[in-house]
């Protein structure tokens, strides 16, 4: 069945780069998303990538997609304390754009 | 451009009661999806509405129902509330080819 997996925790020092990884199983995924959720808040779309792309860069964020291995990563450069949050990976299918399949989220802790 | 607005933000209900949650979609978005997020979990898809019709449903019982109105706003109704229904309920609006914009959610507590 469809599944998305992420490591649950990541701790980095302020100023370092953070890399959050995600694997998925649905080979027909068309869109892959990264969302950020701060405590008690909703989900904020950070970025998304189409499955025919290998990389997307947006300011401090770099998304890498290895479609062969079904592996997605989010790199945050110069991580700040304000980046502390839970980061969710989600995948969707343009042909079945009725739902997103989500990972459990990676809790990023940024230490001063 | 307004974002997605959900109401109420917090709600406490008793087991067996019924609840209605509301969502106003982002301007220009014609699709609304509802998700349930239990504590420490990722969101789980409940259902999606497109142009006032249900357009996909997740693994939730029939006591979870919804509506979409001509202005694309939406309601989620849950009957016969159970303790396990306690969760953050998230609404997301979208249009084909665009990402989902989420509201801040409604925190439902069933006691």
């Amino acid at each position: 069945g469809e599944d998305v997996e992420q490591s649950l925790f990541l701790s980095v020092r302020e100023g370092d780069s953070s890399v959050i990884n995600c694997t998925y199983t649905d080979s027909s995924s068309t869109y892959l998303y990264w969302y950020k959720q701060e405590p008690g808040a909703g989900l904020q779309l950070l970025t998304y990538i189409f499955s025919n792309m290998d990389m997307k860069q947006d300011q401090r964020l770099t998304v890498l997609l290895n479609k062969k291995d079904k592996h997605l990563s989010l790199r945050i450069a110069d991580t700040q304390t304000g980046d502390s949050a839970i980061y969710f990976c989600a995948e969707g299918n343009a042909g079945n754009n009725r739902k997103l399949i989500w990972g459990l989220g990676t809790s990023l802790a940024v230490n001063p | 451009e307004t974002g997605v607005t959900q109401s109420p933000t917090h709600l406490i209900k008793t087991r067996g009661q019924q609840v209605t949650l509301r969502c106003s979609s982002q301007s220009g978005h014609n699709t609304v999806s509802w998700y349930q997020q239990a504590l420490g979990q990722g969101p789980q898809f409940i259902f999606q509405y497109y142009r006032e019709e249900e357009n996909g449903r997740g693994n939730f019982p029939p006591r979870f129902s919804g509506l979409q109105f001509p202005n694309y706003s939406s309601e989620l109704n849950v009957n016969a509330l159970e303790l396990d229904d306690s969760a953050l309920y998230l609404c997301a609006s979208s249009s084909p080819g665009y990402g989902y914009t989420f509201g801040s959610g409604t925190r439902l507590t069933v006691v």
Side-chain angles (χ1 to χ4, degrees):
Chain A
E2 303 154 323
D3 194 19
V4 175
E5 292 191 356
Q6 302 176 238
S7 53
L8 294 182
F9 301 100
L10 177 65
S11 179
V12 300
R13 282 198 295 190
E14 191 173 15
D16 287 351
S17 291
S18 308
V19 179
I20 302 171
N21 295 299
C22 169
T23 58
Y24 59 98
T25 57
D26 186 357
S27 57
S28 64
S29 295
T30 309
Y31 301 89
L32 294 132
Y33 301 87
W34 285 103
Y35 281 85
K36 176 183 180 182
Q37 188 173 38
E38 298 186 49
L43 293 154
Q44 175 194 352
L45 176 64
L46 289 177
T47 186
Y48 63 95
I49 190 170
F50 296 109
S51 60
N52 61 358
M53 297 169 64
D54 297 324
M55 186 184 86
K56 181 177 180 182
Q57 187 153 3
D58 183 1
Q59 299 182 341
R60 292 191 297 124
L61 305 178
T62 303
V63 178
L64 295 178
L65 174 61
N66 182 328
K67 195 174 179 183
K68 173 177 170 288
D69 294 339
K70 300 191 188 69
H71 181 266
L72 182 74
S73 67
L74 174 69
R75 179 176 180 270
I76 305 172
D78 187 24
T79 313
Q80 302 298 305
T81 53
D83 295 325
S84 294
I86 299 177
Y87 290 80
F88 288 94
C89 167
E91 59 93 4
N93 186 322
N96 181 23
N97 195 28
R98 293 173 291 188
K99 64 179 180 180
L100 297 177
I101 307 298
W102 298 77
L104 293 180
T106 299
S107 179
L108 174 64
V110 182
N111 305 306
Chain B
E1 178 182 274
T2 58
V4 176
T5 306
Q6 291 188 244
S7 63
T9 54
H10 296 82
L11 200 53
I12 300 175
K13 288 285 191 177
T14 304
R15 191 171 49 181
Q17 285 189 312
Q18 177 267 342
V19 69
T20 297
L21 310 182
R22 295 180 174 84
C23 171
S24 295
S25 60
Q26 181 167 312
S27 176
H29 287 183
N30 56 18
T31 303
V32 173
S33 305
W34 285 92
Y35 289 82
Q36 180 195 66
Q37 186 181 19
L39 201 60
Q41 302 293 315
Q44 297 292 314
F45 176 71
I46 303 175
F47 42 56
Q48 181 182 89
Y49 280 84
Y50 172 66
R51 292 187 176 179
E52 303 176 60
E53 297 284 334
E54 188 179 286
N55 182 40
R57 189 179 181 91
N59 189 25
F60 280 81
R63 60 189 184 83
F64 285 77
S65 63
L67 282 174
Q68 187 179 32
F69 300 100
N71 66 354
Y72 303 131
S73 66
S74 178
E75 287 182 355
L76 164 65
N77 299 291
V78 187
N79 292 323
L81 283 165
E82 300 177 0
L83 297 179
D84 285 349
D85 296 332
S86 296
L88 180 68
Y89 288 84
L90 294 160
C91 168
S93 72
S94 61
S95 278
Y98 293 89
Y100 293 71
T101 301
F102 280 83
S104 298
T106 295
R107 173 74 62 187
L108 173 65
T109 303
V110 182
V111 297

